[in-house]
Amino acid sequence: MSNIFKNIFTKNKKLSTDELIVKKTIISFFFFFILMGAGFYGWKWLRYQPESANGARQPLRTVLDMNESLFRRILSNRHLTREYSVEDAVKNVRVNGDLGLKSILDTASWRLYVIKKNGDTLSLTMDDIKKLPKTEIVFDFKCIEGWNQITHWAGVKFSDFVHAYGLTYETQMKYTGMSTPDKKYYVGIDMPSIMHPQTILAYEMNGKPLPLNQGYPLRLIIPVKYGIKHLKRIGTIFFSNSRPPDYWFERGYDYYSGL
Ligand SMILES: Nc1nc2c(c(=O)[nH]1)N[C@H]1C(S)=C(S)[C@@H](COP(=O)(O)O)O[C@H]1N2
Ligand SMILES: [Mo]
């Protein structure tokens, strides 16, 4: 036995099949234990790292942020989401979250409030929004929970909206924030994504006004993002250079949530 050990680790020695098997087994075990140890100590190390603002361990958050900046560079404004034809759109559109939709909506007094940088607030009715050019989009809506469906929406391009209402200065900032009228659901979106040519303030689904549970009277449709960012029942819009609060980010999801 001791001879085998001596032989297999002697340099340039021709080994028998049995000796080769023993040698490979020893080497495999050696690396197996090293990696086990590395995994275990790595995991222990991670557990003692500080938490980032939203509860993820800082090293993990750093990697997520690196991914975000990488994808922002790759998926620039010119990158378009695939569009489908209207016949491809599903008729029974799934209803997912209802955060911020549980309070009763007073449709007559609903306004879209847009907070400007100089402190003024625009107060817009649906008619103000509907008089802008109407765009349609049919795309594959994706939820991070793992489902997707091809859906058909119509409304006003966000980029058309901000220019029509003199919000050009605001769009020089880094982020747009949005919330439901009761402030129970809110999202923050990076400016390149909200200004993307396929991002719309939608008021129709399948050619009809949005149903209440799908965000009547106005919701965000932002095909470059996962479903969590498509805020239903918009109440207020504002702009900021720091990240606006984001409901799911506060619960550990990726702030960018880009596709
Ligand atoms: N106000 C509000 N908007 C919301 C949500 C919510 O809970 N409340 N859920 C989001 C999530 S997670 C998804 S997947 C989509 C679902 O849109 P749908 O219900 O029209 O399918 O809405 C998003 N917008
Ligand atoms: Mo979702």
Side-chain angles (χ1 to χ4, degrees):
M1 190 65 183
S2 70
N3 231 359
I4 288 197
F5 283 114
K6 220 195 262 155
N7 279 352
I8 59 180
F9 290 112
T10 307
K11 238 181 150 188
N12 297 332
K13 198 164 165 60
K14 193 115 181 59
L15 300 180
S16 68
T17 310
D18 280 355
E19 285 171 331
L20 261 176
I21 291 172
V22 172
K23 181 174 181 174
K24 293 204 165 172
T25 309
I26 291 174
I27 293 174
S28 303
F29 266 99
F30 179 74
F31 282 108
F32 173 74
F33 283 113
I34 296 238
L35 289 175
M36 281 268 287
F40 179 69
Y41 283 102
W43 173 72
K44 257 182 91 171
W45 171 81
L46 193 59
R47 290 196 31 170
Y48 288 105
Q49 292 304 301
E51 283 189 0
S52 66
N54 74 344
R57 298 289 164 185
Q58 192 53 54
L60 299 178
R61 174 51 58 201
T62 305
V63 173
L64 276 173
D65 288 345
M66 278 163 57
N67 286 345
E68 165 175 341
S69 68
L70 181 71
F71 280 105
R72 276 165 91 148
R73 253 169 284 158
I74 299 171
L75 307 172
S76 71
N77 221 342
R78 282 151 300 179
H79 187 101
L80 292 181
T81 303
R82 177 168 175 200
E83 295 193 26
Y84 295 80
S85 60
V86 173
E87 303 82 70
D88 295 331
V90 295
K91 297 288 162 288
N92 293 320
V93 182
R94 183 166 175 153
V95 175
N96 212 44
D98 65 351
L99 296 158
L101 306 182
K102 285 169 228 166
S103 12
I104 291 159
L105 175 74
D106 179 356
T107 51
S109 69
W110 177 90
R111 294 288 182 280
L112 176 64
Y113 296 108
V114 184
I115 302 169
K116 296 189 67 170
K117 218 40 216 169
N118 64 9
D120 292 353
T121 299
L122 302 178
S123 165
L124 306 172
T125 61
M126 269 320 297
D127 286 342
D128 295 328
I129 293 158
K130 283 186 180 158
K131 69 180 182 216
L132 300 176
K134 183 171 167 183
T135 353
E136 290 190 41
I137 187 162
V138 182
F139 77 106
D140 195 8
F141 189 109
K142 298 188 176 86
C143 171
I144 39 174
E145 286 166 32
W147 55 268
N148 65 294
Q149 51 180 205
I150 296 173
T151 47
H152 173 201
W153 310 89
V156 177
K157 274 189 192 180
F158 193 85
S159 57
D160 287 349
F161 169 79
V162 284
H163 291 128
Y165 282 99
L167 300 160
T168 316
Y169 174 73
E170 280 72 9
T171 63
Q172 311 295 308
M173 311 192 91
K174 287 199 183 126
Y175 298 94
T176 295
M178 276 183 198
S179 63
T180 53
D182 66 4
K183 310 264 184 270
K184 296 223 166 107
Y185 195 66
Y186 39 92
V187 298
I189 290 158
D190 56 284
M191 203 58 78
S193 299
I194 196 85
M195 294 298 283
H196 186 280
Q198 290 170 310
T199 300
I200 65 177
L201 294 173
Y203 48 79
E204 280 179 12
M205 189 187 81
N206 289 337
K208 291 188 215 83
L210 290 176
L212 258 181
N213 55 15
Q214 246 120 7
Y216 179 90
L218 193 67
R219 78 174 294 175
L220 184 64
I221 287 294
I222 180 162
V224 296
K225 301 282 188 194
Y226 277 107
I228 43 176
K229 297 287 185 181
H230 298 229
L231 186 129
K232 301 189 274 192
R233 196 190 286 184
I234 308 172
T236 305
I237 299 180
F238 66 97
F239 306 88
S240 152
N241 275 324
S242 54
R243 283 177 167 182
D246 187 278
Y247 185 89
W248 286 113
F249 175 66
E250 289 166 8
R251 285 152 184 82
Y253 286 85
D254 180 37
Y255 194 88
Y256 188 61
S257 288
L259 281 160

